Amino acid sequence: LSTGNPQGGWEMCKRIFASTLKRLYGRAFADRYGSPALMRRIVMEEGLPHWRSYLLMSGLSTLSSLCTASVAFLIGHVINEVYLLRSPIGVMLLSTLLVILSTTKGVAIYWQQIVASKLQFIVGSKNTLLYFNSIVREPISYFDANSSAKIISEIGNAHSVTSVLNIIVGTILTSVISVMGLGFVMIYNDFFMSILIFTICPLVLLFLRHNSKRVRDAVSVNLSIASGLLEIMQEAVRGNKVVKAF
């Protein structure tokens, strides 16, 4: 590519990159019931109509993450002002700044929870109504094949869509920005120690990933057993009420 036409080489690189992205995209969304396809559907159907609220949540998450990184950055200066410089004015100024940052973080988190609760109520109510309307149109054979406990639990899961969006916008975004900010503070304060930490952390993450997979399998088995027991108990209680009614 370097010996020929530079423009032609650049176009070829762009075509290779575009084809690679297209192939990865098609592989990720090949299964319409897979996690990437479901995530895309949730974002397109439930996230885009309320994009202003989710944009506000993203801004609040960014603000709280920046406050967290700023507090971590100022703690070292506060310790220096107290034990090394012994400056009352510096201690007062830095302490006031820490109070302002902590208060701002608390207000941002509280405001974010209010917006998330409002979205959960709006989207959850809409999904509950849609699910109830679809159940009403089902034939009698549907209710013979599915227990009432299962139907009620599925109606109660209508709010899970907003929970997924809140996790994407709120929790994941906050965690990513917080890690980036704290990593910047680490590198600024001690570069060599930060490099050592960044070298050891991937090994620890691989170990945790291996163990978390086994934990997830065990938890899924326990949850399936618990849901089955709960369904049997609900059916038994409802059957007992019917028998007593007669």
Side-chain angles (χ1 to χ4, degrees):
L1 294 178
S2 60
T3 58
N5 186 8
Q7 188 66 25
W10 175 247
E11 292 295 331
M12 184 179 295
C13 290
K14 289 197 297 185
R15 286 196 298 268
I16 293 174
F17 183 71
S19 63
T20 304
L21 287 180
K22 185 177 180 180
R23 185 169 61 252
L24 293 175
Y25 181 84
R27 186 181 301 175
F29 296 99
D31 185 10
R32 58 177 301 184
Y33 296 107
S35 298
L38 291 177
M39 294 291 292
R40 183 182 62 180
R41 182 180 176 185
I42 289 174
V43 172
M44 297 297 293
E45 294 182 359
E46 305 296 343
L48 290 182
H50 307 281
W51 65 271
R52 292 183 179 86
S53 298
Y54 285 109
L55 183 62
L56 177 60
M57 288 181 60
S58 302
L60 294 173
S61 300
T62 304
L63 179 60
S64 63
S65 302
L66 293 177
C67 290
T68 302
S70 301
V71 169
F73 178 76
L74 290 176
I75 287 295
H77 295 281
V78 172
I79 295 175
N80 292 334
E81 291 289 338
V82 172
Y83 292 101
L84 297 179
L85 301 178
R86 299 183 182 274
S87 174
I89 298 177
V91 172
M92 291 178 60
L93 291 176
L94 291 175
S95 300
T96 305
L97 187 57
L98 286 176
V99 171
I100 293 173
L101 289 174
S102 301
T103 305
T104 304
K105 178 182 176 182
V107 172
I109 293 175
Y110 179 72
W111 196 357
Q112 180 183 355
Q113 293 299 323
I114 291 176
V115 176
S117 301
K118 182 180 179 181
L119 288 173
Q120 186 172 6
F121 175 76
I122 295 174
V123 179
S125 301
K126 185 193 73 173
N127 291 335
T128 303
L129 182 61
L130 291 175
Y131 186 75
F132 183 77
N133 291 332
S134 65
I135 286 179
V136 172
R137 299 187 182 93
E138 294 291 337
I140 300 299
S141 59
Y142 175 81
F143 298 94
D144 293 335
N146 297 277
S147 61
S148 58
K150 182 179 179 181
I151 296 174
I152 293 174
S153 64
E154 289 179 352
I155 294 176
N157 291 332
H159 296 272
S160 59
V161 175
T162 10
S163 301
V164 173
L165 289 174
N166 292 340
I167 290 173
I168 295 174
V169 177
T171 307
I172 296 180
L173 183 62
T174 304
S175 301
V176 170
I177 299 177
S178 298
V179 169
M180 292 175 60
L182 294 174
F184 173 77
V185 173
M186 288 173 56
I187 294 174
Y188 179 82
N189 290 329
D190 195 335
F191 178 78
F192 295 102
M193 185 62 70
S194 302
I195 295 300
L196 180 62
I197 295 298
F198 291 148
T199 305
I200 297 176
C201 280
L203 301 176
V204 177
L205 291 177
L206 289 175
F207 176 75
L208 293 177
R209 181 183 178 185
H210 176 70
N211 289 336
S212 62
K213 184 178 180 181
R214 300 175 59 183
V215 172
R216 284 197 303 269
D217 294 338
V219 170
S220 62
V221 172
N222 292 331
L223 287 177
S224 61
I225 294 174
S227 61
L229 291 176
L230 181 61
E231 182 177 346
I232 293 173
M233 291 175 60
Q234 289 177 347
E235 290 295 330
V237 170
R238 289 190 178 89
N240 190 17
K241 289 183 179 179
V242 172
V243 172
K244 288 185 177 180
F246 289 98

